[in-house]
Amino acid sequence: GAGVSQTPSNKVTEKGKYVELRCDPISGHTALYWYRQSLGQGPEFLIYFQGTGAADDSGLPNDRFFAVRPEGSVSTLKIQRTERGDSAVYLCASSSGGATGELFFGEGSRLTVL
Amino acid sequence: GEDVEQSLFLSVREGDSSVINCTYTDSSSTYLYWYKQEPGAGLQLLTYIFSNMDMKQDQRLTVLLNKKDKHLSLRIADTQTGDSAIYFCAERVNRDDKIIFGKGTRLHILP
């Protein structure tokens, strides 16, 4: 597609529920990143994929968070047993893997846990 | 560990120069970036510098890198109202290509 697409743009859920957030990267981009941005903060690194595999998942806060990219394109971030502290904007970015490593960001999925 | 620090706010008069500063901790950083986030929009790359350079100029933007002190700055000449945004400093950590962002500096333009 023309840009990075994230769905849903807005998700309100109740504490304890399961949530999936989807990212459709720019076609042909091999690298895909997930970040979390809370109000007034910078993007906090969660995980990054090179192709289908997670190259670095050191930013995932705990085992309630999991992400997949089974075919090396679309990725899904999965959050189990959501907590109020999970409320944030979840940003996805993709990169062609070129020398400069420029990231192209989607507009984010705003998650609110009540 | 990796950490990127920047001041949170900067107010500048229209037409003056803005200087946004950033420090980082990881000496293995290969690229350093400035991203811009306008209200209601996603982050966009503004400019970048490779770690073996000490200066890069791109129209109204000048990036200075002091690798010894791990200090990066972004200068915007002739600041305009359209420059009002949050500016994020970011570093690419060489060993695994992870990109780490600072908390962002909100640039406010005074008339």
Side-chain angles (χ1 to χ4, degrees):
Chain A
V4 177
S5 174
Q6 292 188 245
T7 54
S9 55
N10 228 321
K11 174 73 179 178
V12 180
T13 191
E14 291 179 342
K15 181 174 175 302
K17 300 285 191 190
Y18 170 79
V19 162
E20 286 191 354
L21 306 175
R22 176 189 163 108
C23 174
D24 203 338
I26 292 172
S27 178
H29 277 193
T30 54
L32 185 147
Y33 295 73
W34 283 101
Y35 290 86
R36 177 168 71 174
Q37 189 175 23
S38 301
L39 194 63
Q41 301 294 312
E44 174 195 2
F45 172 80
L46 296 178
I47 184 170
Y48 115 82
F49 290 87
Q50 196 57 254
T52 60
D56 188 326
D57 65 358
S58 62
L60 294 177
N62 52 58
D63 61 7
R64 295 186 299 105
F65 289 74
F66 190 69
V68 296
R69 195 186 185 200
E71 295 173 4
S73 178
V74 169
S75 176
T76 305
L77 178 65
K78 307 179 183 204
I79 311 174
Q80 297 179 317
R81 303 183 304 280
T82 51
E83 299 178 357
R84 292 197 181 91
D86 299 335
S87 296
V89 177
Y90 288 82
L91 299 171
C92 177
S94 70
S95 171
S96 64
T100 63
E102 178 179 358
L103 296 182
F104 294 83
F105 280 86
E107 295 199 355
S109 292
R110 180 178 297 277
L111 175 66
T112 303
V113 182
L114 301 176
Chain B
E2 311 108 359
D3 196 18
V4 177
E5 298 280 344
Q6 45 184 136
S7 52
L8 296 182
F9 297 100
L10 178 66
S11 288
V12 171
R13 293 212 173 274
E14 192 176 358
D16 287 353
S17 291
S18 306
V19 180
I20 303 171
N21 294 300
C22 167
T23 56
Y24 60 98
T25 56
D26 200 305
S27 58
S28 68
S29 296
T30 52
Y31 282 89
L32 294 131
Y33 308 90
W34 287 102
Y35 279 79
K36 180 181 181 182
Q37 187 176 36
E38 295 182 90
L43 280 85
Q44 285 193 303
L45 181 66
L46 196 59
T47 187
Y48 66 91
I49 189 166
F50 187 49
S51 59
N52 70 352
M53 297 168 65
D54 51 21
M55 185 178 103
K56 181 179 180 184
Q57 186 137 12
D58 184 1
Q59 300 183 334
R60 292 191 297 121
L61 305 178
T62 304
V63 179
L64 295 177
L65 174 61
N66 180 329
K67 200 170 178 185
K68 175 175 164 288
D69 294 340
K70 300 193 188 72
H71 183 267
L72 183 74
S73 69
L74 173 70
R75 179 177 179 268
I76 306 172
D78 186 27
T79 309
Q80 304 297 307
T81 53
D83 296 324
S84 181
I86 303 175
Y87 291 82
F88 293 95
C89 174
E91 63 169 339
R92 182 179 183 184
V93 178
N94 184 49
R95 58 185 175 278
D96 58 9
D97 285 340
K98 186 163 70 177
I99 299 178
I100 304 296
F101 286 79
K103 287 182 166 53
T105 300
R106 184 180 293 275
L107 178 61
H108 178 60
I109 315 302
L110 302 166

